[in-house]
Each structure stands twice: as C-alpha cells, then as structure tokens.
Amino acid sequence: MTMKRITFADIFAGIGGFRIGLERLGFECLYSCEKNEACRQVYFDNFGDLPEMDISDIDFSKIPDVNIITAGFPCQPFSICGKRKGFSDRRGTIFFHLCNLLQAKKPDVAILENVKHLLHLEKGSVFEEIITTLEDLDYFVRYSLLNAKDFGLPQNRERVFIVASKHKPFNFSRIKPKLKIPQLKEFLSKTGDFQYIDDSEYTLIKHPKQQDSGLIFVGYRNKSIWKKGIRPHTEHLSRVHRQPNRIYSVEGVHPTLPSQESSGRFFIYLPEENRVRKLTIEECYRIMGFPKSFKRNASLSEAYKQIGNSVATNVIYELGKEIMEQKLTVPCSKFNNRARGFKKSEKPIQLTIPGLRLTHCN
Ligand SMILES: C[S@@+](CC[C@H](N)C(=O)[O-])C[C@H]1O[C@@H](n2cnc3c(N)ncnc32)[C@H](O)[C@@H]1O
C-alpha cells in the first residue's frame, strides 16, 4: 500500500526555505506564490517551479487542495491594521489575502512565520488581531518563539511561529531544543577566497563573554555607524542598525542575518588565527540550513538579501515533523465536535511577553 504524501502550498515563497525544510520530510509542494522576480527565478532554478505572482491577483479556485499552507508573510503592511477594529479594515493587507486563501482552501494546517517584533506592534494589538482572525476562520491557534540556534544552526535567529490547525491544537511543547548549541566555527569553510581585514581596522575588547543568546561579542570595526539603506520605520528590524560593525567570535553563534544587508558586512573573529574576516555568502546559506547544492542568485547583493529574508530550514523541519507526529493533517474524530476556544482543562501556558494579553500559546 502506498502512503499518501503530505502536501503543501508555499505562499510568500521567497527562495524556498519552507520548501527545503518540508521536502526533507518527504512532504510534497503542489503550489507556490511569490511576487519578487529575483526570488522567483532562484526558486525556479532550485525547484523547477516558477511561483505564481502576487497573491492579490490569484484565483484561489485554481490552487490545488493541500494539507498545509506555509507563509512567512511580510509584516510591514500591518502598521495600518490594529489601529481600528473589524475585518473590513484589514482589507488590502497581505494578511487579509492570506486569510482569504485559508478560508477558500481550508488546509488542515497553516504555518505562519514572522519577526519577533510582530508580537509588540501597537502594544500587541496587531498580533492579537492576527490570532483572533485565524480563530474566526475556525482554526486552533498556537504560537511560539523558536530560535535557529536551538535546532542545530549556529545563528541567534528568533522568530515567531504560528501554527493554525483545523482538527486539534498543535502542541509546541513537544518541540525540544537540541541539547547542544553549535559553534559557528563548525560551519565555516576550510578554504576559500576569504576577505580578512587589517588589524588596524578593528578593536578587540578585553574580556569577551558569551551572552545568553550564544553570541560572543569580541570587538568592533573602527568605523562610524552605518545608517544607509535602512528603510524608514524599519530601524527596529535592522540588526545592522543596532549592531553596527560588531565583531563576534566563531566560538559562539552568529547574530541574525538581516534582510537589509546587501553587502554581507558580517565580521567574524577567529581566535585560533587571531584574525577577523567576512563571513562568506556560502557560509551565510549554510547557517540557514540551505544545502550545498542550492543555486543562489548571481548577484551577490541579491543573494545576501534573499537569505536574510528567508527562514531557518531546520526549524521548519522540526515543525513539519511535529505536525506529522501529532497527526494534524489527519482529521481526528475526537475533536470533530469541538467548540472553538479552550476548555478549562487545556488552559494554555502563558508566554511572557510584556504588553501582550494573549494566552493562546504553549
Ligand atoms: C519574509 S519573505 C518570505 C521568505 C521565504 N520564507 C523564504 O524562505 O525565502 C516574504 C516574501 O513575500 C513576498 N511577497 C510580498 N508581498 C507579496 C504578494 N503580494 N504576493 C506574493 N508574494 C509577496 C516577498 O517578495 C518576500 O519574498
């Protein structure tokens, strides 16, 4: 007997980080959508599928039925929602289109990913509205912050993941962080055309210490703060802006690769050589869990932006594995007559995020 494969649609597909993670589990991608031309080309080069374009122009009836919809949705348009109440006010936002798609296709599960800051937008009211809207579409909704460094990748990349499921709630507590956080040095190329910087160009601090995040800040480049290229109102998203010219040791993890950095100004300190060099583009893709065979965009600046915008594939793999193990894509009769919301006995655990009133997480 042949087992039916779990299928998914890759929405806001970018360069396919979700797809890499889920295909590793044998899941089958039946559909993709991405409006950025450069991303679409890379997606095609790697998966042989050219994603459809803007979600707002797509006829949902032409999208095949799938078990899972994945969406690392853009967060900027949210600044206009949350201020007002009611579904009509969200019209025109990307999230609204995504909700329309969920309503039309009714997948068993939706996996949504976004930056941690989404939790804090407008004092948490935007996030609250997102959760409520998904519940209104008759989904159980759970969310959690997951960090790439806990899933075998040497990068402090914390993202909020929302799992909306039709038949029973997703249990995030079953996702166990790996015991060992890898060191960046385990992921570095042995040879290559490395760009070292001269000793005179940086200053090392005296007693570097590993932070809880896994980062070991060792020094900084002797340069003025770099502010160019940051979009207005996205300063909070920019690691480059907040951590200009910082240098981290390869004996810790690397900071989040940001999508705004198009020149790859990521500087790493190699204690064994007592030298500082740039992290290479290959190494950037490696610390996001992309395979060696991945075909990047020919333009280096595009390739940097694309990987910074993508998702840590190991985290997607873990989520997919749990979705499978918790049988979320199989209708479960026990839950068929459920009422939306929680029974007292399944009171969710509160994730302590200051200013956030939601309790729908575990
Ligand atoms: C955060 S990125 C997702 C990246 C993806 N998860 C990956 O692994 O590369 C969001 C993506 O949504 C795309 N996007 C934004 N608005 C869109 C729209 N209206 N229709 C389709 N794609 C859109 C952007 O071009 C961007 O690549």
Side-chain angles (χ1 to χ4, degrees), residues 12-15 17 34-36 53-55 72 74 94 309-311:
F12 312 123
I15 54 169
E34 166 57 55
K35 80 168 186 187
N36 177 279
M53 297 194 60
D54 200 309
I55 192 171
I94 301 287
N309 224 0
S310 188
V311 63

Side-chain angles (χ1 to χ4, degrees), residues 37-87:
E37 271 310 330
C39 288
R40 294 175 79 230
Q41 187 57 48
V42 170
Y43 198 92
F44 178 76
D45 293 344
N46 285 282
F47 305 106
D49 292 333
L50 191 62
E52 281 201 58
M53 297 194 60
D54 200 309
I55 192 171
S56 53
D57 299 330
I58 290 167
D59 175 358
F60 295 153
S61 67
K62 296 206 175 114
I63 301 180
D65 288 336
V66 287
N67 298 114
I68 302 175
I69 283 185
T70 64
F73 59 107
C75 85
Q76 286 86 349
F78 278 110
S79 51
I80 60 153
C81 83
K83 279 192 188 130
R84 308 165 213 144
K85 292 195 175 69
F87 205 62

Side-chain angles (χ1 to χ4, degrees), residues 346-360:
E346 54 170 323
K347 194 166 179 273
I349 300 159
Q350 174 72 48
L351 187 71
T352 42
I353 297 167
L356 201 68
R357 298 188 299 279
L358 288 171
T359 52
H360 300 98

Side-chain angles (χ1 to χ4, degrees), residues 319-330:
L319 279 168
K321 187 155 79 65
E322 267 310 315
I323 285 169
M324 190 164 60
E325 282 174 9
Q326 293 180 32
K327 299 192 174 19
L328 294 196
T329 58
V330 181

